[in-house]
Amino acid sequence: MTSGIKFLFLILIFLLNGTGVTCQPAAESLVKSDFVNPPPTVKIHTWWHWVDGAISKDGISKDLESMHLQGISQATIVSVGLFNGKDFGIPRVPINSPEWNSMFRWALLEANRLGITIGIENCDGWSSSGGPWITPEMSMKQYVWTKTVVEGGKPIRLPLKQPMAKLNFYRDVAVVACKTNSTNNSFLKANPKITVNDSIGGGILSDGDPVSGFDMRRGDFITLNFNHEFSAGKLAIYIRRPFMWRNMAIFNSEFALSVSDDGRNYKKAQDFEIIGLNKLEIISLTNLKSRFYKIQLCDFSNVDPQYEFTVSEVELLGESDHPTYSSGIPSLLEKTASLKTLEKGSFDAMETTTSEKFIPNETLMNLQTQKARYKSMRVPHGSII
């Protein structure tokens, strides 16, 4: 597992160097020249999804040529079905049919022409990708983090909170520090005690990471207990599902916010509804002031119930406060992938103003071109990248 995480981290450093950003080596064994001009032993590997049998020889060639342009030298074909056989404008090619085998042979010939190594899963879909023999350290990983704001300009010794860990597995990758004019909002300064269902510590609900959170069921609740009366003009809440087959943009969830003076007897203050998933919602409140707050999940859409419903961030804020997690991009997956589907929101409620079913080639970034263009660029010390 440790080597896997380091591999991802090294890719990030390589990409930053490719655009002229200078980085300190993470260890003495790393050689700076290998990042500027990676040797042939360094490979970039990607998954290559063949979706719903919508494949053609022309499309295969263009995919591989694009990979080659970006420096990708290994690709694993993953045959998946996502859109129930919708018309993509070309005939469907069922897996393991004579036509599919012909396409696969063409992919191998084209990959060989471009110097790309091809791998393939041993089945259609994800059937053999997991099992009890796959322990947490061998399974797929994701980056998680916590966000801490400190006063700079002096030496600081501060234990940082450990980010969320699934199945009790976690490994440190890096500590990243950057200058900012932001300060802790009033919620973090008040340091309330956060619990889930009055029994589970909920500190990760204000860690600035929308991936960490708690799986919630109907009737579950989150309590925020302050040492003194706290004034709240708005509520920041982030709810998510990592995946759905249905449209996330129309997913509905209902909550009730209650307040209490003694932490035992609560009075409902406000109901609110959220449409969509995987984006930060700011709910206006009627200038509440109390020591104890409770947020209860009343109901949510009964679609794709096999996927968990997670509350990731919860903060009560003053009118001028900013949430600990904030982004100019509403949907988290938009930060890590560029894709368009026939149904907007099929993956992550992405907004789009175009009817195009593909990404024009001219909008793709050519890292080599960027490297040549910005070879003298340097990022100011303390900037956020």
Side-chain angles (χ1 to χ4, degrees):
M1 158 54 200
T2 302
S3 61
I5 284 188
K6 286 184 177 178
F7 175 67
L8 291 175
F9 187 53
L10 294 181
I11 286 178
L12 292 176
I13 294 176
F14 165 71
L15 292 179
L16 292 176
N17 254 320
T19 54
V21 181
T22 58
C23 299
Q24 288 295 111
E28 292 182 358
S29 61
L30 301 180
V31 181
K32 182 178 179 179
S33 60
D34 287 347
F35 287 89
V36 178
N37 296 296
T41 54
V42 175
K43 306 292 185 182
I44 299 177
H45 189 159
T46 187
W47 280 6
W48 186 14
H49 289 109
W50 288 16
V51 181
D52 273 355
I55 52 178
S56 67
K57 288 186 175 181
D58 182 54
I60 287 171
S61 296
K62 288 180 178 178
D63 277 0
L64 288 168
E65 287 169 355
S66 180
M67 293 181 203
H68 179 70
L69 182 67
Q70 305 304 322
I72 294 172
S73 56
Q74 298 176 347
T76 296
I77 297 172
V78 182
S79 182
V80 296
L82 290 176
F83 301 103
N84 298 320
K86 288 191 175 182
D87 183 12
F88 284 88
I90 58 175
R92 282 188 77 236
V93 182
I95 189 171
N96 209 29
S97 64
E99 295 82 6
W100 191 95
N101 292 332
S102 176
M103 295 289 182
F104 179 59
R105 177 178 173 81
W106 177 257
L108 297 181
L109 292 172
E110 287 290 85
N112 187 62
R113 173 175 68 86
L114 296 166
I116 297 175
T117 302
I118 295 296
I120 186 170
E121 287 199 335
N122 62 355
C123 68
D124 187 20
W126 318 98
S127 304
S128 63
S129 60
W133 57 91
I134 303 297
T135 54
E137 63 271 14
M138 294 190 295
S139 64
M140 295 179 68
K141 316 298 187 306
Q142 65 186 68
Y143 277 108
V144 293
W145 64 86
T146 59
K147 182 178 179 181
T148 303
V149 178
V150 299
E151 183 180 350
K154 57 185 178 182
I156 296 174
R157 283 187 172 274
L158 179 69
L160 299 178
K161 295 179 180 179
Q162 178 183 304
M164 175 197 71
K166 285 191 174 182
L167 301 176
N168 297 318
F169 181 84
Y170 172 80
R171 293 291 185 272
D172 278 333
V173 176
V175 175
V176 179
C178 56
K179 292 181 179 180
T180 177
N181 294 325
S182 300
T183 60
N184 283 329
N185 56 42
S186 59
F187 183 83
L188 293 182
K189 290 178 180 177
N191 192 29
K193 179 182 178 182
I194 307 175
T195 58
V196 178
N197 294 335
D198 281 341
S199 60
I200 306 171
I204 60 175
L205 292 175
S206 60
D207 62 2
D209 177 7
V211 175
S212 63
F214 291 94
D215 297 342
M216 306 284 286
R217 297 173 297 180
R218 293 171 180 83
D220 286 352
F221 57 90
I222 298 165
T223 53
L224 312 170
N225 301 339
F226 295 85
N227 292 326
H228 306 284
E229 279 193 333
F230 183 83
S231 298
K234 57 188 178 182
L235 166 69
I237 183 169
Y238 193 108
I239 58 175
R240 72 182 292 263
R241 269 184 165 178
F243 178 79
M244 276 182 59
W245 292 106
R246 308 290 183 87
N247 192 339
M248 288 186 177
I250 61 175
F251 189 91
N252 168 273
S253 53
E254 300 172 5
F255 296 83
L257 174 64
S258 302
V259 296
S260 171
D261 295 326
D262 57 14
R264 294 184 299 272
N265 302 302
Y266 282 86
K267 178 181 178 181
K268 183 183 290 188
Q270 188 170 329
D271 293 319
F272 61 93
E273 180 183 38
I274 296 176
I275 306 296
L277 288 165
N278 296 0
K279 57 183 178 178
L280 186 73
E281 294 284 348
I282 304 296
I283 308 299
S284 296
L285 304 178
T286 55
N287 295 319
L288 298 177
K289 190 173 183 180
S290 182
R291 275 195 61 196
F292 303 94
Y293 293 81
K294 178 186 291 186
I295 302 165
Q296 186 164 25
L297 174 61
C298 301
D299 200 6
F300 55 87
S301 299
N302 189 31
V303 294
D304 290 345
Q306 67 272 32
Y307 299 114
E308 63 270 19
F309 177 92
T310 302
V311 176
S312 298
E313 292 285 295
V314 170
E315 289 182 313
L316 292 168
L317 303 170
E319 291 297 336
S320 60
D321 280 334
H322 296 284
T324 302
Y325 171 78
S326 59
S327 170
I329 301 175
S331 300
L332 180 63
L333 287 184
E334 285 190 68
K335 302 173 76 170
T336 57
S338 262
L339 52 90
K340 293 179 182 178
T341 66
L342 289 183
E343 284 188 6
K344 182 179 69 174
S346 293
F347 283 90
D348 201 19
M350 292 171 57
E351 295 295 331
T352 179
T353 57
T354 177
S355 60
E356 293 174 344
K357 300 177 183 178
F358 61 92
I359 302 174
N361 188 63
E362 58 268 19
T363 67
L364 297 175
M365 175 182 288
N366 185 321
L367 294 179
Q368 294 300 321
T369 300
Q370 296 297 317
K371 178 180 178 180
R373 181 180 179 186
Y374 296 115
K375 62 183 179 180
S376 61
M377 185 183 74
R378 291 294 181 268
V379 175
H381 177 69
S383 297
I384 300 176
I385 299 175

